[in-house]
């Protein structure tokens, strides 16, 4: 059993009948009163972010997790199917366990977080950026080039991405998976 003094970034803990990953933390020692640890935690099961403050020395339940690379295979009505590249076993994840899943395409590698005790899947992390082909793009409006104007486009995974006016159908673009923003055109 760990204490709040052992908290570090990336650590997984059990809190409020859920498993949370520490995103940010700060040890605070005010001039008056006891020390405490201010944390920002993200649920690995549903993606909710929670701010919490632990008093110094507070007992916490650390959860041992392992990460493995899996290849994304396909999506069905209930969720997503992945394959372990080492032993070719398949694993299934519910749609709620993956944030920004609209940017995953078949054959791409995804990091899946598994509980160490029983190797049950907790969540999946897609790469921070992906390369996708634009399938459909709105026409650019003539005379609207003085500012950084954007237009709607649909990429090969079916996601909508706002792109600059010069992007056309068939172009490959780099997309930030965290906020779905266009980063650059890929040659």
């Amino acid at each position: 059993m760990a204490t709040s003094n052992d908290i570090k970034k990336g650590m997984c803990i059990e809190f409020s009948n859920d498993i949370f990953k520490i995103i940010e933390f700060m040890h605070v020692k005010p001039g008056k009163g006891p020390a405490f640890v201010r944390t920002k935690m993200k649920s690995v099961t549903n993606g909710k972010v929670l701010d919490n403050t632990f008093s110094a020395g507070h007992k916490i339940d650390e959860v041992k997790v392992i990460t493995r690379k899996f290849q994304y295979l396909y999506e069905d009505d209930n969720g997503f199917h992945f394959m372990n590249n080492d032993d070719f076993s398949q694993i299934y994840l519910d749609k709620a366990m993956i944030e920004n899943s609209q940017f995953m395409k078949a054959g791409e590698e995804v990091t899946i977080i598994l509980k160490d005790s029983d190797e049950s899947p907790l969540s999946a992390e897609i790469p921070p950026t992906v390369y996708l082909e634009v399938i459909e793009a709105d026409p650019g409006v003539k005379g609207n080039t003085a500012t950084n104007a954007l237009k709607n486009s649909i990429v090969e995974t079916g996601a909508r991405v706002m792109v600059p006016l010069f992007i056309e159908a068939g172009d490959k673009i780099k997309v930030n998976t965290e906020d779905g923003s266009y980063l650059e055109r890929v040659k």
Side-chain angles (χ1 to χ4, degrees), residues 5-18:
N5 300 333
D6 300 323
I7 290 177
K8 57 184 178 271
K9 187 175 179 178
M11 178 183 194
C12 289
I13 64 170
E14 192 169 330
F15 181 75
S16 297
N17 298 324
D18 200 359

Side-chain angles (χ1 to χ4, degrees), residues 11-149:
M11 178 183 194
C12 289
I13 64 170
E14 192 169 330
F15 181 75
S16 297
N17 298 324
D18 200 359
I19 298 174
F20 288 87
K21 185 175 185 177
I22 304 294
I23 301 171
E24 295 175 7
F25 75 99
M26 180 174 33
H27 290 279
V28 180
K29 177 89 173 86
K32 187 176 183 182
F36 57 90
V37 180
R38 187 174 290 137
T39 62
K40 184 179 264 189
M41 307 182 295
K42 182 177 182 179
S43 171
V44 295
T45 54
N46 60 25
K48 290 183 181 175
V49 176
L50 180 73
D51 290 320
N52 192 45
T53 302
F54 295 101
S55 59
H58 181 81
K59 301 262 189 246
I60 55 172
D61 293 324
E62 184 177 1
V63 177
K64 298 289 184 197
V65 295
I66 52 177
T67 58
R68 289 207 180 109
K69 296 281 187 187
F70 282 78
Q71 183 180 12
Y72 171 55
L73 296 176
Y74 63 92
E75 174 185 7
D76 62 12
D77 293 338
N78 300 320
F80 303 99
H81 295 266
F82 298 90
M83 179 182 68
N84 187 337
N85 290 334
D86 298 331
D87 60 5
F88 304 110
S89 62
Q90 290 190 17
I91 194 170
Y92 164 81
L93 270 90
D94 194 71
K95 290 184 178 187
M97 298 173 104
I98 305 173
E99 199 172 329
N100 298 325
S101 60
Q102 70 269 24
F103 298 112
M104 288 192 318
K105 66 178 181 180
E108 209 166 71
E109 271 200 351
V110 175
T111 303
I112 295 184
I113 300 171
L114 305 161
K115 197 172 184 178
D116 191 32
S117 58
D118 58 358
E119 292 205 11
S120 60
L122 297 173
S123 70
E125 296 175 353
I126 62 175
T129 59
V130 291
Y131 299 100
L132 299 170
E133 184 177 344
V134 176
I135 301 300
E136 185 181 314
D138 290 346
V141 179
K142 190 172 183 177
N144 196 7
T145 57
T147 61
N148 291 335

Side-chain angles (χ1 to χ4, degrees), residues 167-178:
I167 299 293
E168 299 297 330
D171 289 348
K172 284 201 175 273
I173 59 172
K174 186 176 181 181
V175 177
N176 180 348
T177 58
E178 299 220 0

